[in-house]
Amino acid sequence: MEASTRPKKTIKTIAKSKTAMPEQDPAVRARNWSEVTLGYTEDQALAEAARCIQCKKPGCIAGCPVAINIPGFIRAIEDRDFHKAYDIVAADNVLPAICGRVCPQETQCEALCIVGNKLDPVGIGRLERFVGDLALRNGWSLAGPARHNGHKAAMIGSGPASITCAVDLARAGVEVTIYEALHTAGGVLKYGIPEFRLPKKLIDRELEALKGLGVRVVTNAVIGRLYTIPQLMQEMGYETAFIGVGAGYPNLMGIPGEGLNGIFSANEYLTRVNLMRAYQHPQTDTPTGMGKKVAVIGAGNTAMDACRVSIRMGAENVYCVYRRTKKESPARAEEVQHAEEEGVKFNWLTTPVRILGDERGWVRAMECIRMELGEPDASGRARPVPVPGSEFLFEVDTIVYAIGTSANPLLAHTTPGLKLNQRGYIDVSPETQMTSIPGVFAGGDIVTGGATVILAMGAGRKAAHAMLQYMGIEATAEPAHHAKG
Amino acid sequence: MFKIVKREQFSPVTYLWKLEAPDIAKAARPGHFVIVRHGDGGERVPLTIADFDRAAGTITLVIQAVGKTTTALMGLQEGEYLDDLAGPLGHARHFDQVKKVVCVGGGLGVAPTYPQLRQYKQNGAYTISIVGFRSKDLMFWIDRFQTESDELIIATDDGSTGVKGLVTGPLQEVLDRNPDIDEVLAIGPAIMMKACVAVTKPRNIKTIVSLNPIMVDGTGMCGGCRVTVGGKMAFACVDGPEFDGLQVDFDELLARAKRFDPAERESMRLLHERCHLPRQSS
Ligand SMILES: Cc1cc2nc3c(=O)[nH]c(=O)nc-3n(C[C@H](O)[C@H](O)[C@H](O)COP(=O)(O)OP(=O)(O)OC[C@H]3O[C@@H](n4cnc5c(N)ncnc54)[C@H](O)[C@@H]3O)c2cc1C
Ligand SMILES: Cc1cc2nc3c(=O)[nH]c(=O)nc-3n(C[C@H](O)[C@H](O)[C@H](O)COP(=O)(O)OP(=O)(O)OC[C@H]3O[C@@H](n4cnc5c(N)ncnc54)[C@H](O)[C@@H]3O)c2cc1C
Ligand code: SF4
Ligand code: SF4
Ligand code: FES
């Protein structure tokens, strides 16, 4: 259909609200591990695509860290050319089914959607998921690999940053090997984000596609211990390497009582449940060792996941404890809402100061203090300050810390010359993602600190371009419809 | 997939595996451990590298069946394959120049003590070994210890051979006799290491222990292996597993080892149930 023959859409002619996302009923889903949101049907996708007014100067693209040609793929959906829609998205984002589910769209692409100035923004993430799911179901895959050109690159870690980097390099003909420390690839997508939010089979299919591109995945390979980076580069023949090891080193608060039983980092708790499938214990062998009254400290995405996992694990009471208010919560709005619907109780402006145990060494209660908001701090958010004398006891038997992670020092310790910044993350050139070691690049959470899937992917892609240049390879031509915002 | 090239049964609950893992063998040093995992839904279990042979490309593990996973793994035979093996993990031991050292291994801890004893010997130290077992028929590797030790004392709980009683008796006696001991290494159950430290602490003798908290990933990602050493929190898998025994909070370690007990018992019950059921096939 020629653009000129289309009826002109304006903000006045389109549906006012976003096409609702079909979801499992909260009472039902709180008892199962199936996906909460069910995804748009074709009709729903067409209805939502019709809400995009195809702006001449779209705001959305600038809001997307990988600058997907959003109006382009939405138009292809309207035209029912779903394969084309997928090709447009995949040119910039190799994991659309995943990003469509977990991207914080409301602060990115959708935040800058022109329609959003007056009405609900266009449901860009939901449409992206629709396209990504269709592609997985129909086996549409990325353009095949060019012939191997004799160049070799190693990826360290197998999260979204490494996956993206690997795809771009493999498409350009580089022989890529991914080394992953755990027994399964996928990074946080596998061990952190729960099944009901991101089904594991999606990630497995993406990883299969990766192997289809000729990428080799080696699990159980802890770089820094099994092989060091100097070994990879000197003995094992890799011209370049990309470090995408994430920032999984859990923080605790350092308050008295943290050695008691029943206290977990969110990483431990979620890994037990998601990666080791503790929700099927004793059919599987890894237990959670949790109780019935769970307090989750923090209010980011990780905290919401820990809360909602606890509900599904059969906890009687699940409390989210956060020192600021709902407004400052770093979690996606949708996650907080889902958690509320599922019965999580929120204790805003509260922080623990001490954990009390019973005579067997188990958590019995948490002493908390009330907070109030003061002046904004360095992050621009109001600084929480304790209200003197407001201490109170909170009876819980399980505490999950979801207060962020730091850089894991393992790799840095075993890589002479790798420069870190003051916070312990890897220092890179902002243009190329190259570290202080020539030929060694880095990106994702290990550079930025805990961030998002799409930012990690963006970094992986930027590094891939620079790595190709470093090896003296021309990047394959970008698709013609590719329009960078 | 990692091939079990050799398997030995030391006792009804103790067995040895030699695994084909050339890259791990190449990188392994005394003090390192690995994580093994097997089968759909299998747990990740840390095990010390009890020996390694770079030329043959193998590592040796000595395993005691204490629960579901270690019992189920006992069923894997020579020639079969283990699904997952990650390592080497942890800090390799840093050996100071010492003239005279006591190496105490208790029960299964005898195995991980061995590569360190050998290293001490190679570094030219005078080595006194104390190995403790519950009884004579649980003993293993006495010959290996004999080769690397200038003095070897065997203790058994039931007195079926050697000195009757725990390893702490001989340890006390050795320290009394040798005022010039530079260092004590103690590896075994937490309760044994705690008892050894109770002997060495009043004399202020440097004591190295290898802690065995419950682990998941073994890479520093989960914090489940945290221990308190010198009043500070440490992750045993990346900061250890070896620590200054005089600084370790053993009571916390002992309490934390019980945190999954009810669930582990449930796993074990299920395993027994399955094993006693009439087999459908084979
Ligand atoms: C519970 C949770 C929920 C989240 N929810 C969201 C969300 O809804 N939306 C969103 O956008 N973001 C979310 N995030 C953040 C997002 O998952 C991360 O920003 C992203 O995964 C970072 O990707 P990465 O590639 O840098 O590393 P990771 O995904 O962390 O992967 C790193 C991989 O490297 C491996 N590794 C580490 N060290 C080594 C080594 N030495 N050798 C070999 N391999 C190694 C690790 O085992 C891991 O598999 C969430 C994070 C968590 C923890
Ligand atoms: C660094 C390190 C080195 C070790 N080396 C050896 C070794 O060389 N040989 C050997 O036989 N054992 C070793 N262990 C102990 C071994 O890991 C446990 O016996 C094993 O995990 C028990 O698993 P299970 O399912 O059979 O028993 P479970 O039923 O799970 O537990 C039985 C008991 O074992 C302990 N345990 C349970 N899970 C773990 C875990 N993931 N990590 C540590 N301890 C656990 C608990 O205290 C529990 O009470 C080591 C442990 C560590 C941390
Ligand atoms: S990748 Fe994320 S930010 Fe970009 S368009 Fe998709 S949902 Fe929006
Ligand atoms: S800004 Fe909104 S309406 Fe405009 S092109 Fe982008 S998605 Fe469509
Ligand atoms: S085992 Fe997870 S941090 Fe040590």
Side-chain angles (χ1 to χ4, degrees):
Chain A
M1 206 194 293
E2 276 302 304
S4 53
T5 66
R6 292 170 200 272
K8 175 126 178 59
K9 286 187 282 187
T10 70
I11 204 113
K12 297 216 177 62
T13 63
I14 62 170
K16 293 201 169 30
S17 25
K18 230 188 231 184
T19 311
M21 173 62 105
E23 286 175 358
Q24 276 199 73
D25 181 75
V28 175
R29 71 183 193 234
R31 306 261 158 279
N32 70 40
W33 293 86
S34 308
E35 206 176 356
V36 167
T37 55
L38 305 173
Y40 278 166
T41 61
E42 189 172 315
D43 286 343
Q44 287 165 332
L46 290 170
E48 190 56 22
R51 294 186 65 240
C52 170
I53 56 174
Q54 296 289 328
C55 309
K56 286 239 165 50
K57 288 197 187 121
C60 53
I61 298 178
C64 170
V66 296
I68 292 176
N69 176 2
I70 294 166
F73 97 80
I74 296 182
R75 165 127 302 163
I77 294 179
E78 276 194 277
D79 294 345
R80 292 173 191 261
D81 191 347
F82 302 132
H83 201 311
K84 180 175 169 197
Y86 168 73
D87 284 340
I88 296 174
V89 175
D92 291 303
N93 181 341
V94 296
L95 305 172
I98 291 169
C99 291
R101 283 172 171 80
V102 304
C103 247
Q105 294 101 9
E106 71 266 24
T107 60
Q108 298 183 344
C109 52
E110 295 182 18
L112 298 184
C113 167
I114 308 284
V115 167
N117 294 341
K118 294 260 161 53
L119 312 170
D120 280 356
V122 175
I124 301 168
R126 294 170 178 185
L127 290 171
E128 185 176 336
R129 166 179 169 176
F130 170 76
V131 168
D133 284 356
L134 269 184
L136 284 173
R137 219 172 300 140
N138 296 326
W140 301 335
S141 61
L142 312 162
R147 229 183 309 136
H148 276 173
N149 52 22
H151 295 278
K152 275 175 74 179
M155 309 284 116
I156 306 169
S158 64
S162 290
I163 292 177
T164 309
C165 187
V167 167
D168 280 3
L169 292 178
R171 277 171 164 174
V174 177
E175 202 182 315
V176 181
T177 305
I178 296 184
Y179 292 101
E180 166 56 47
L182 294 172
H183 59 277
T184 324
V188 170
L189 305 179
K190 262 284 173 60
Y191 73 72
I193 304 182
E195 179 74 21
F196 57 82
R197 206 150 71 77
L198 184 62
K200 301 294 161 251
K201 66 172 193 289
L202 287 181
I203 307 152
D204 288 337
R205 278 196 234 152
E206 298 290 8
L207 289 165
E208 275 314 304
L210 203 62
K211 289 180 190 160
L213 283 175
V215 174
R216 194 164 69 106
V217 180
V218 181
T219 50
N220 298 313
V222 184
I223 303 304
R225 294 271 191 251
L226 184 62
Y227 315 117
T228 61
I229 291 182
Q231 245 177 320
L232 290 173
M233 306 290 287
Q234 284 146 30
E235 294 166 28
M236 295 168 74
Y238 294 106
E239 282 168 87
T240 61
F242 176 78
I243 306 174
V245 293
Y249 195 80
N251 297 340
L252 294 150
M253 289 181 74
I255 59 175
E258 286 177 347
L260 290 164
N261 287 346
I263 302 173
F264 300 85
S265 73
N267 272 4
E268 178 182 1
Y269 184 63
L270 292 172
T271 300
R272 285 180 174 275
V273 175
N274 300 330
L275 181 71
M276 306 311 294
R277 310 209 312 267
Y279 60 91
Q280 293 168 343
H281 183 87
Q283 256 54 54
T284 54
D285 296 337
T286 307
T288 56
M290 63 184 284
K292 292 288 179 196
K293 286 176 279 181
V294 182
V296 175
I297 318 296
N301 285 324
T302 307
M304 293 310 121
D305 284 344
C307 286
R308 299 173 67 198
V309 160
S310 303
I311 294 264
R312 284 161 179 78
M313 290 300 291
E316 284 155 13
N317 286 299
V318 180
Y319 306 97
C320 174
V321 177
Y322 184 52
R323 59 199 177 124
R324 295 183 162 101
T325 71
K326 182 171 177 176
K327 204 168 119 252
E328 288 83 23
S329 142
R332 296 177 55 202
E334 181 184 304
E335 306 305 331
V336 179
Q337 190 198 328
H338 280 151
E340 278 171 342
E341 289 166 5
E342 290 166 12
V344 174
K345 300 182 187 79
F346 285 84
N347 293 71
W348 307 112
L349 292 170
T350 306
T351 204
V353 290
R354 187 160 70 104
I355 304 167
L356 304 160
D358 63 18
E359 62 293 339
R360 289 165 34 255
W362 281 83
V363 173
R364 150 175 88 77
M366 193 166 74
E367 186 179 310
C368 291
I369 191 164
R370 299 276 184 221
M371 310 293 278
E372 58 190 12
L373 291 183
E375 295 296 305
D377 65 9
S379 72
R381 290 178 303 175
R383 185 197 303 275
V385 279
V387 179
S390 67
E391 291 87 351
F392 65 101
L393 272 192
F394 202 144
E395 263 182 54
V396 292
D397 55 19
T398 307
I399 298 173
V400 180
Y401 277 123
I403 54 170
T405 53
S406 315
N408 188 328
L410 190 148
L411 202 59
H413 279 167
T414 56
T415 313
L418 186 66
K419 209 172 143 227
L420 306 181
N421 65 23
Q422 279 168 335
R423 294 156 64 220
Y425 296 105
I426 297 177
D427 220 12
V428 296
S429 141
E431 286 80 39
T432 63
Q433 304 284 132
M434 188 146 88
T435 68
S436 54
I437 303 176
V440 178
F441 298 72
D445 283 3
I446 191 57
V447 168
T448 55
T452 60
V453 171
I454 193 66
L455 285 172
M457 292 177 63
R461 157 152 287 208
K462 203 199 268 179
H465 275 275
M467 289 163 85
L468 289 174
Q469 245 170 17
Y470 181 86
M471 292 185 278
I473 307 166
E474 285 286 305
T476 40
E478 301 268 337
H481 48 64
H482 182 82
K484 280 270 181 239
Chain B
M1 300 286 272
F2 300 82
K3 189 172 181 183
I4 301 171
V5 292
K6 189 171 159 223
R7 186 185 179 289
E8 273 179 60
Q9 189 82 35
F10 287 156
S11 82
V13 291
T14 323
Y15 53 103
L16 171 150
W17 280 351
K18 202 178 253 192
L19 291 158
E20 199 169 74
D23 291 348
I24 298 180
K26 198 167 152 215
R29 303 280 181 280
H32 275 147
F33 68 96
V34 291
I35 288 209
V36 308
R37 200 206 63 88
H38 189 72
D40 185 42
E43 191 170 16
R44 294 171 63 92
V45 170
L47 299 165
T48 310
I49 301 179
D51 201 1
F52 49 88
D53 183 337
R54 294 202 184 118
T58 58
I59 63 164
T60 300
L61 308 177
V62 179
I63 311 168
Q64 182 167 20
V66 295
K68 157 76 207 282
T69 304
T70 44
T71 305
L73 289 176
M74 196 153 67
L76 279 184
Q77 299 304 321
E78 208 163 281
E80 291 192 298
Y81 288 81
L82 177 73
D83 288 345
D84 294 299
L85 176 67
L89 300 170
H91 276 304
R93 244 318 280 292
H94 168 79
F95 289 88
D96 290 325
Q97 271 309 319
V98 295
K99 292 210 188 65
K100 207 173 205 183
V101 65
V102 185
C103 295
V104 188
L108 226 269
V110 165
T113 308
Y114 173 69
Q116 306 214 22
L117 166 66
R118 186 174 56 186
Q119 191 68 52
Y120 278 122
K121 192 73 209 149
Q122 275 172 15
N123 295 357
Y126 184 89
T127 54
I128 304 173
S129 300
I130 305 171
V131 294
F133 296 95
R134 265 188 289 130
S135 110
K136 191 179 171 207
D137 30 286
L138 296 174
M139 287 193 330
F140 62 90
W141 282 12
I142 296 301
D143 48 335
R144 290 189 177 213
F145 270 74
Q146 217 118 40
T147 317
E148 307 294 341
S149 311
D150 293 295
E151 295 175 37
L152 172 65
I153 302 167
I154 300 169
T156 51
D157 293 6
D158 62 359
S160 46
T161 192
V163 186
K164 182 172 167 34
L166 307 173
V167 289
T168 40
L171 177 60
Q172 189 103 38
E173 182 267 320
V174 165
L175 295 181
D176 287 342
R177 210 160 26 87
N178 298 274
D180 55 342
I181 298 288
D182 301 300
E183 199 164 285
V184 173
L185 168 76
I187 307 182
I191 192 79
M192 180 211 94
M193 294 189 281
K194 182 185 173 183
C196 289
V197 166
V199 173
T200 57
K201 200 168 191 168
R203 299 162 197 256
N204 201 23
I205 298 175
K206 182 173 174 196
T207 308
I208 294 150
V209 294
S210 180
L211 302 187
N212 51 359
I214 294 169
M215 296 186 174
V216 184
D217 58 301
T219 66
M221 179 270 273
C222 79
C225 63
R226 62 188 184 275
V227 290
T228 303
V229 182
K232 287 207 201 72
M233 185 186 74
F235 289 0
C237 70
V238 286
D239 302 322
E242 256 117 43
F243 291 97
D244 174 357
L246 305 192
Q247 305 284 328
V248 170
D249 182 343
F250 281 104
D251 293 333
E252 182 185 277
L253 180 73
L254 284 160
R256 281 182 67 75
K258 296 203 181 83
R259 65 199 174 110
F260 300 102
D261 270 3
E264 305 286 19
R265 274 198 298 276
E266 180 63 15
S267 291
M268 202 56 194
R269 192 188 57 73
L270 212 72
L271 179 72
H272 280 300
E273 212 166 68
R274 278 182 196 150
C275 293
H276 294 152
L277 280 175
R279 284 283 174 95
Q280 310 283 307
S281 58
S282 92

